[in-house]
Amino acid sequence: SSDLAFNQIEKHFRMKFGVSASLFNKESIEIPDEQLDILASHKILGSKFVGFHVRDSVTPLSRSAGNCDITTYIEAIELLLDQDIRVVIQGNMSMKLLPDSLRNHPLIWDYAHDSNKHSSLDMYFFSHAFFLVGSASGPILIGNDFGVPTLYTNLPCLGYHYDLRGYSLPHLILDRKSGYELPYSEILKSPLAWSIREETNQHIRRRNSAQEIKDAVQDMLNDSVSIELNLWHGLRQSQHFGGAAPAMTIAPSFY
C-alpha cells in the first residue's frame, strides 16, 4: 500500500541522511508579496503558531473512519490560546465552524473559511508551524517533509503507522455488544485496524475525546520545548508494529 511505501521511503532516507534530516527546507518556499501581506496582517509571519487540519467530509460508511469533529479539538485549541500561541485552522469550506467566540479570537485564523486561499499560504502553514495537529488525510504527511513535528489524532488504521516526527493518537475499538475496549493485541485482529470502515458487525470505533486530544497537545508542547527531535526518533525506533517504525502512540488502556 502507499502507507507502507511511505514508511519504507522515510526509513531509507533517514538511514542515509540521519534521523533529523528533512526532505525540504522551509526557507526555499517562495511566498508572493500579496500572500506575505496576508500573513503579516494575521500576525502569523515569523510568529509561533500551531496548525490544525481536521478532516470532516461527506463520506460513505465504508470510508468514513477518517472523519472527526472539530469541536472535540476546542479544549486543545483553548490550551494553546491560554499560552499565547497562535492557531491556524486549515482545511476547506465544508469544515464545521468553530463557535464565534473562538473564530473571532485575536490569536485564531480560521483559514479554512477564508476567501484568501492560496497554495503558497498552505505550504507556509505546513512548513513553518511550531507543530501540526491533524487527522486522517493527505496533508497529515506534508509537515513531516519539512521536519515539522506532527500530532496525528484519530488515527483510524492501527495496523498501519506513518513514520512522522511526533505522536499518534489512535481510535479505540470497542466490542459492539458489551462496549468492552479491545486491547492492542485484539485490535490488530479486527478488520477496523486495517481499513477506514466505520464499523463491523462485531466492532465499533471510539474517536478521541476532547480530553485525550488536549492531553496529547500538552505532550507536544512539553516535548517540543524540552527535548530534541532526535529523542523522538530514538523512542520511535524502539517500537516495531508490522515492520514499520511508528510515531509514539498515546492512548488510554491500550496495552
Side-chain angles (χ1 to χ4, degrees):
S1 77
S2 60
D3 297 342
L4 293 180
F6 173 82
N7 276 328
Q8 290 301 314
I9 291 170
E10 287 287 331
K11 175 182 176 181
H12 290 291
F13 178 81
R14 298 215 177 106
M15 285 175 62
K16 183 173 182 178
F17 298 106
V19 295
S20 295
S22 58
L23 187 60
F24 299 117
N25 182 351
K26 66 180 182 181
E27 306 303 333
S28 65
I29 296 178
E30 296 182 2
I31 311 292
D33 288 343
E34 182 178 351
Q35 278 63 51
L36 284 174
D37 290 341
I38 293 172
L39 290 169
S41 69
H42 287 274
K43 299 181 179 179
I44 291 295
L45 196 64
S47 297
K48 178 189 291 187
F49 70 92
V50 173
F52 282 74
H53 190 284
V54 180
R55 182 178 185 273
D56 184 12
S57 60
V58 178
T59 312
L61 287 178
S62 61
R63 296 183 55 83
S64 66
N67 287 339
C68 45
D69 187 347
I70 185 64
T71 61
T72 59
Y73 293 73
I74 288 177
E75 292 185 20
I77 292 171
E78 291 175 335
L79 171 68
L80 295 167
L81 299 178
D82 288 344
Q83 300 188 44
D84 294 325
I85 298 175
R86 295 184 178 276
V87 170
V88 176
I89 306 298
Q90 299 167 249
N92 56 50
M93 293 285 187
S94 67
M95 181 185 294
K96 184 185 298 183
L97 288 170
L98 290 170
D100 287 343
S101 58
L102 279 180
R103 291 190 69 225
N104 298 325
H105 193 287
L107 295 180
I108 284 188
W109 181 3
D110 183 7
Y111 177 74
H113 298 93
D114 198 311
S115 60
N116 291 313
K117 286 183 176 292
H118 193 276
S119 59
S120 64
L121 294 178
D122 293 315
M123 293 307 298
Y124 183 89
F125 300 143
F126 285 119
S127 61
H128 285 72
F130 183 46
F131 62 84
L132 297 165
V133 180
S135 61
S137 64
I140 192 72
L141 305 175
I142 298 175
N144 195 58
D145 290 333
F146 290 93
V148 176
T150 301
L151 171 62
Y152 190 154
T153 57
N154 283 295
L155 172 69
C157 302
L158 276 295
Y160 298 117
H161 286 267
Y162 295 99
D163 190 15
L164 299 176
R165 296 168 168 84
Y167 296 125
S168 60
L169 187 62
H171 288 171
L172 293 185
I173 307 300
L174 282 59
D175 179 83
R176 178 183 287 278
K177 291 183 179 179
S178 67
Y180 164 73
E181 292 183 354
L182 276 61
Y184 187 76
S185 58
E186 292 185 37
I187 287 177
L188 288 181
K189 299 175 185 178
S190 170
L192 297 187
W194 304 91
S195 73
I196 53 175
R197 295 169 56 187
E198 186 63 41
E199 57 190 26
T200 68
N201 291 333
Q202 295 80 30
H203 298 148
I204 57 175
R205 295 179 180 275
R206 181 176 77 71
R207 286 167 172 76
N208 303 154
S209 69
Q211 185 63 51
E212 289 166 352
I213 295 171
K214 179 182 178 181
D215 290 344
V217 167
Q218 183 64 66
D219 284 336
M220 290 290 289
L221 280 172
N222 294 345
D223 291 350
S224 295
V225 170
S226 64
I227 68 173
E228 297 293 331
L229 287 178
N230 280 351
L231 179 54
W232 257 333
H233 286 283
L235 291 170
R236 288 188 6 251
Q237 289 170 348
S238 67
Q239 303 176 67
H240 296 278
F241 302 100
M248 175 83 66
T249 302
I250 323 166
S253 62
F254 208 57
Y255 298 100

